[in-house]
């Protein structure tokens, strides 16, 4: 496919390394919607003066979602698979004035990096972690991931996934995080709203963003085009104002409840060690 | 001869693993290894292979699960690449010290940073001190055969060490070649499944890996050293037997070129094929040049290296990995120099570092290396460059 060069600019281009475009994401991938929504939330904060662009740091691991550190025009680090949260913790401790945002896929954040997620949430580390859940290891070709729903087909479970998925929202809520939400690219305004809110808080802030991988996930479960997967996910998403943790299970049959599961203002790790900014 | 089918390097490996009738596979996705495990998942789903597959959460866990399964007596398999291999580093020592005959394929790939998914030998070389028997294939047929050879060597009661078989990422893993398949029956008669190692048994309980205090630890290590030495003999016996049964002969090192060479390039992996093609097509048969392929890297086949390089004026070593700060930043060059000096062979050596991060080692590059060798072959050793020559890099 030939992609024509960008002739006109977009209002959010200032936050992107446009020379790096076009991006590597497949047509129909939910990551564009996710990144657009995150950029709008950041733009709103910068415009109203509650966030400085030069203080923003993006830290990513490995995977399709992790490629965002390639495209954003902020300080960014593309680290190792699973290690983004550990890296981000170091950056935040060295320079508490930074707003450190980790973006990664479910395999990166909850799979290989799961232990770092637990411990950052446990210490209420002052970070934002945005986990884009596409239900598979997409960049390597669609292998079963921690969030793959029970029974679904992937390239390493051609007989159907025998394991129930990891409900990361529930896990992080059981620890000491200040903010836990689940959003979906099928509802981009909510992604923006939750990221905007998280940017104004302290402590550990975790947002799971359900996304679509039509090429590597959708095709294996009988969805022939991006629209079918997108509209299927949309039909499965249930928006709730303040859902309870009991409603958070990832069940491909019953659907996915999105909303703000946990909002509180406990002292973050930096406050506890006397280096908080407030 | 078995059935000949066109297969990618990764599929060729997966078919061999199926023929070896493994019991447990544990793996984590990483490019360019992943399609090996995907193919194995397909075999299991189709009922062609009766094995358990564990979809673990990292390579560290993949090898840990393999250690557990092997300790319980299963024939186990795993595969990885690059960061996955170095994430396994810690467990690689455990596998070799516990003397568990695990077989693993390394789809060789560069190491971060910066992130690079393409081929070189950084991962392979980085784990060469973990006590594993290690070999690297030159083509897909060899990658297929190496898996069967590996089980035979690993499970030999005189060895009992894990074996890593490597093939070059993309250049081989994703390239299709005709493969003479080894069928299950033949694989199992060549490398029969027999419990030759100490396994966990509830009726006769043992603790493996328990504290080895200063009174005992040293003896364990000494025995491990002997096992590795023994694997050299077992390798020779195994390739002889392999040649008898399957008609394909592999050597710990293989030489190609002039019968009485003045200059020799030493290399590993698919680049060896490139050098052979260069010697046959470009340089012509009349030149006194050759290429020495190192197939077996651990244990390093010193005897054969001495045999082939004695009397050669100058030896160029092609390294596809870089160890900054080392006496020789090319790890293969280090081994060759150590071998030659140890055995009193006075061939001069030159280190070439080329093809890092997937950059192809072309005939042009190989031509530069041979010219350099010819240019320096009659100079005294004191006039030779002390630094490696970087071939194909922008300075």
């Amino acid at each position: 496919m030939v992609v024509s060069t960008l002739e006109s600019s977009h209002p959010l281009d200032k936050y992107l390394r446009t020379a790096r475009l076009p991006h590597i994401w497949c047509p129909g991938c939910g990551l564009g919607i996710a990144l657009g929504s995150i950029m709008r939330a950041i733009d709103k904060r910068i415009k109203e003066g509650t966030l400085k662009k030069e203080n923003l740091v993006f830290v990513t691991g490995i995977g399709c979602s992790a490629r965002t550190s390639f495209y954003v025009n902020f300080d960014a680090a593309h680290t190792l698979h699973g290690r983004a949260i550990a890296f981000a913790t170091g950056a935040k401790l060295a320079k508490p004035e930074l707003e450190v945002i980790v973006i990664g896929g479910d395999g990166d954040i909850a799979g290989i990096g799961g232990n770092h997620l637990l411990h950052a949430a446990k210490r209420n580390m002052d970070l934002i972690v945005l986990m884009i859940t596409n239900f598979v290891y997409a960049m390597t070709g669609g292998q079963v991931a921690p969030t793959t729903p029970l029974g679904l087909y992937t390239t390493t479970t051609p007989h159907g996934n025998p394991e129930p998925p990891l409900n990361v929202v529930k896990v992080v809520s059981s620890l000491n995080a200040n903010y836990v939400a689940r959003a979906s690219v099928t509802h981009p305004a909510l992604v923006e709203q939750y990221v905007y809110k998280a940017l104004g808080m302290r402590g550990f802030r975790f947002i799971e963003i359900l996304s679509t991988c039509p090429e590597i996930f959708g095709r294996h479960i009988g969805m022939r085009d991006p629209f079918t997967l997108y509209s299927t996910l949309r039909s499965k998403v249930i928006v709730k104002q303040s859902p309870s943790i009991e409603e958070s299970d990832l069940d491909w049959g019953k659907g996915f409840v999105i909303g703000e599961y946990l909002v509180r203002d406990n002292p973050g790790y930096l406050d506890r060690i006397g280096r908080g900014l407030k | 001869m078995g059935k000949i089918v066109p297969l990618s390097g990764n599929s060729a490996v997966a078919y061999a693993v199926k023929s070896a009738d493994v019991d447990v596979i544990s793996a984590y996705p990483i490019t360019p290894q992943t399609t090996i495990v995907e193919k194995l998942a397909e075999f299991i789903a189709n009922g062609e292979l009766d094995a358990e597959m564990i979809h673990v959460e990292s390579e560290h866990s993949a090898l840990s699960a393999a250690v557990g399964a092997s300790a319980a007596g299963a024939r186990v398999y795993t595969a990885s690449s690059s960061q996955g291999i170095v994430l396994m580093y810690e467990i690689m020592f455990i596998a070799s010290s516990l003397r568990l005959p695990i077989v693993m394929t390394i789809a060789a790939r560069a190491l971060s940073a910066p992130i690079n998914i393409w081929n070189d030998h950084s991962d392979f070389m980085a784990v060469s001190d973990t006590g594993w028997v290690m070999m690297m294939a030159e083509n897909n047929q060899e990658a297929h055969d190496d898996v069967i050879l590996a089980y035979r060597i690993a499970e030999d009661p005189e060895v009992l060490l894990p074996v890593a078989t490597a093939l070059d990422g993309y250049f081989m893993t994703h390239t299709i070649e005709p493969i003479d398949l080894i069928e299950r029956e033949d694989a199992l008669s060549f490398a029969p499944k027999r419990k030759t190692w100490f396994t966990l048994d509830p009726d006769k309980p043992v603790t493996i890996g328990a504290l080895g205090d200063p009174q005992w630890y040293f003896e364990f290590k000494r025995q491990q050293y002997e096992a590795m030495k023994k694997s050299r003999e077992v390798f020779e016996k195994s390739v002889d037997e392999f040649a008898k049964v399957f008609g394909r002969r592999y050597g710990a090192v293989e030489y190609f070129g002039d019968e009485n060479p003045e200059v020799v390039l030493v290399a590993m992996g698919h680049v060896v094929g490139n050098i052979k093609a260069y010697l046959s097509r470009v340089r012509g048969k009349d030149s006194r040049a050759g290429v020495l392929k190192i197939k077996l890297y651990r244990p390093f086949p010193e005897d054969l290296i001495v045999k082939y390089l004695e009397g050669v004026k100058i030896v160029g070593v092609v390294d596809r990995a870089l160890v900054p700060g080392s006496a020789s930043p090319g790890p293969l060059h280090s081994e060759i120099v150590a071998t030659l000096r140890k055995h009193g062979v006075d061939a001069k050596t030159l280190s070439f570092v080329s093809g890092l991060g997937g950059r192809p080692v072309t005939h042009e590059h190989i031509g530069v290396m041979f010219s350099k060798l010819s240019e320096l072959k009659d100079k005294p050793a004191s006039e030779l460059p002390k630094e490696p020559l970087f071939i194909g890099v922008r300075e």
Side-chain angles (χ1 to χ4, degrees):
Chain A
M1 189 178 75
V2 177
V3 180
S4 60
T5 50
L6 296 168
E7 283 167 8
S8 56
S9 67
H10 186 276
L12 296 174
D13 275 357
K14 58 190 167 194
Y15 300 134
L16 295 175
R17 294 173 188 162
T18 49
R20 286 282 176 199
L21 299 176
H23 55 69
I24 62 156
W25 298 322
C26 306
C29 175
L31 276 166
I33 302 173
L35 184 61
S37 310
I38 296 162
M39 289 299 128
R40 282 192 293 279
I42 287 171
D43 186 48
K44 214 167 151 187
R45 283 274 170 202
I46 290 175
K47 277 183 179 153
E48 69 182 28
T50 48
L51 179 69
K52 286 185 185 155
K53 181 175 181 263
E54 60 269 27
N55 280 352
L56 262 179
V57 177
F58 267 54
V59 182
T60 66
I62 297 290
C64 297
S65 319
R67 286 289 286 208
T68 45
S69 61
F70 227 64
Y71 304 124
V72 294
N73 197 16
F74 311 119
D75 273 340
H78 199 175
T79 68
L80 289 170
H81 199 25
R83 313 302 154 204
I85 292 176
F87 192 102
T89 300
K92 181 69 182 176
L93 285 173
K95 286 188 103 175
E97 66 272 26
L98 298 179
E99 183 65 86
V100 185
I101 301 179
V102 172
I103 299 190
D106 44 302
D108 191 23
I109 302 285
I112 193 165
N115 200 24
H116 301 303
L117 175 74
L118 298 187
H119 288 270
K122 171 210 155 231
R123 60 175 74 99
N124 203 11
M125 190 63 219
D126 301 77
L127 299 174
I128 295 179
V129 175
L130 306 175
M131 185 179 87
I132 320 264
T133 298
N134 58 8
F135 308 106
V136 279
Y137 286 102
M139 187 167 256
T140 46
Q143 298 76 28
V144 69
T147 53
T148 308
L150 188 66
L152 290 198
Y153 301 120
T154 72
T155 53
T156 46
T157 55
H159 231 53
N161 177 23
E163 299 178 28
L166 180 65
N167 179 351
V168 189
V169 160
K170 200 172 197 170
V171 171
V172 177
S173 299
S174 74
L175 299 160
N176 304 316
N178 265 357
Y179 186 67
V180 180
R182 180 185 284 146
S184 167
V185 296
T186 54
H187 297 68
L190 290 178
V191 178
E192 182 185 333
Q193 189 186 313
Y194 298 163
V195 174
Y196 175 84
K197 184 160 180 177
L199 281 166
M201 295 176 67
R202 61 176 172 171
F204 193 73
R205 292 143 283 166
F206 176 81
I207 304 172
E208 176 176 33
I209 303 169
L210 304 179
S211 184
T212 54
C213 176
E215 188 65 27
I216 303 294
F217 174 66
R219 282 195 305 131
H220 290 276
I221 53 166
M223 317 235 166
R224 295 181 66 88
D225 56 67
F227 178 74
T228 311
L229 178 61
Y230 185 89
S231 48
T232 303
L233 180 64
R234 195 180 161 84
S235 71
K236 289 180 184 297
V237 165
I238 304 148
V239 186
K240 292 214 172 168
Q241 197 69 33
S242 298
S244 76
I245 301 297
E246 282 64 43
E247 298 173 281
S248 64
D249 280 342
L250 283 176
D251 190 322
W252 193 251
K254 289 184 194 153
F256 311 106
V257 174
I258 69 169
E260 295 175 295
Y261 283 91
L262 192 67
V263 186
R264 56 191 173 197
D265 186 34
N266 289 336
Y269 184 74
L270 288 171
D271 294 316
R272 290 191 194 280
I273 62 167
R275 294 189 63 194
L277 298 176
K278 286 173 188 171
Chain B
M1 203 162 70
K3 201 163 67 176
I4 295 193
V5 285
L7 290 176
S8 70
N10 277 352
S11 287
V13 168
Y15 272 94
V17 175
K18 183 180 85 164
S19 291
D21 191 34
V22 301
D23 305 309
V24 174
I25 299 161
S26 66
Y28 186 78
I30 188 166
T31 304
Q33 167 279 127
T34 317
T35 47
I36 298 177
V37 183
E38 282 183 2
K39 193 77 196 165
L40 289 169
E42 197 181 305
F43 289 144
I44 294 171
N46 291 345
E48 294 174 63
L49 171 63
D50 182 16
E52 299 299 326
M53 182 176 269
I54 319 168
H55 304 290
V56 289
E57 67 286 350
S58 77
E59 288 87 354
H60 197 273
S61 314
L63 193 54
S64 298
V67 164
S70 183
R75 179 174 268 194
V76 304
Y77 178 77
T78 186
S80 195
S81 293
S82 182
Q83 303 305 127
I85 295 293
V86 290
L87 187 55
M88 287 176 171
Y89 191 64
E90 185 181 29
I91 319 300
M92 287 187 77
F93 287 95
I94 307 295
S96 59
S97 311
L98 290 180
R99 310 285 301 277
L100 296 171
I102 294 164
V103 172
M104 168 165 81
T105 299
I106 300 176
R109 166 185 152 182
L111 292 175
S112 290
I115 293 159
N116 179 298
I117 59 169
W118 294 274
N119 166 241
D120 68 25
H121 296 164
S122 302
D123 50 2
F124 183 89
M125 292 299 173
V127 296
S128 61
D129 54 1
T130 55
W132 285 49
V133 173
M134 296 181 79
M135 44 190 170
M136 182 175 278
E138 176 192 344
N139 54 52
N140 292 354
Q141 180 68 58
E142 195 177 334
H144 175 79
D145 296 344
D146 277 358
V147 174
I148 308 297
L149 267 173
Y151 279 108
R152 163 117 175 192
I153 298 166
E155 293 172 3
D156 188 297
E158 294 200 283
V159 178
L160 299 180
L161 285 173
V163 180
T165 71
L167 73 166
D168 282 326
Y170 290 116
F171 289 114
M172 290 168 65
T173 57
H174 288 61
T175 301
I176 291 172
E177 288 182 345
I179 305 296
D180 184 351
L181 284 183
I182 297 177
E183 300 295 343
R184 190 169 177 272
E185 204 176 292
D186 300 330
L188 291 181
S189 103
F190 178 77
K193 286 171 88 173
R194 46 194 182 132
K195 302 267 166 60
T196 47
W197 63 102
F198 283 103
T199 58
L200 300 172
D201 179 354
D203 294 330
K204 283 180 281 173
V206 290
T207 301
I208 58 167
L211 184 74
D213 60 22
Q215 257 191 313
W216 289 109
Y217 181 87
F218 203 173
E219 281 70 27
F220 277 101
K221 291 291 138 183
R222 183 72 179 85
Q223 287 181 16
Q224 208 182 322
Y225 173 84
E226 284 303 316
M228 180 59 92
K229 228 169 82 180
K230 204 79 194 168
S231 73
R232 181 73 190 88
E233 288 165 36
V234 172
F235 177 90
E236 288 302 330
K237 275 189 220 151
S238 303
V239 288
D240 283 348
E241 176 76 12
F242 191 93
K244 272 187 219 144
V245 177
F246 301 105
R248 292 184 290 277
R249 173 163 286 282
Y250 297 108
V253 310
E254 293 168 17
Y255 177 77
F256 175 90
D258 186 71
E259 279 177 19
N260 193 15
E262 287 188 319
V263 299
V264 170
L265 268 185
V266 178
M268 293 176 75
H270 81 282
V271 166
V272 173
N274 262 4
I275 301 174
K276 284 181 186 170
Y278 176 87
L279 285 171
S280 333
R281 291 179 202 156
V282 185
R283 208 168 151 101
K285 288 196 174 105
D286 52 338
S287 73
R288 291 182 67 185
V291 55
L292 190 66
K293 159 183 157 184
I294 310 293
K295 172 184 176 62
L296 186 67
Y297 191 72
R298 289 287 183 264
F300 203 65
E302 297 171 40
D303 51 334
L304 292 176
I305 285 163
V306 168
K307 180 184 152 194
Y308 284 106
L309 297 183
E310 204 152 33
V312 172
K313 281 188 175 174
I314 188 164
V315 178
V317 184
V318 187
D319 264 293
R320 304 197 53 238
L322 186 64
V323 186
S326 165
S328 172
L332 180 58
H333 181 247
S334 279
E335 298 283 334
I336 294 287
V337 171
T339 303
L340 296 181
R341 297 302 166 262
K342 189 167 137 186
H343 296 272
V345 179
D346 56 5
K348 290 172 289 220
T349 70
L350 204 53
S351 166
F352 297 111
V353 174
S354 191
L356 297 191
R359 188 163 298 178
V361 180
T362 64
H363 279 188
E364 195 192 331
H365 297 145
I366 295 162
V368 171
M369 296 180 205
F370 274 119
S371 316
K372 206 74 200 169
L373 291 176
S374 299
E375 183 192 319
L376 297 169
K377 68 176 195 259
D378 293 317
K379 293 252 161 64
S382 58
E383 285 178 32
L384 258 51
K386 298 291 179 284
E387 308 266 338
L389 302 177
F390 294 88
I391 309 296
V393 73
R394 289 189 297 268
E395 296 284 359

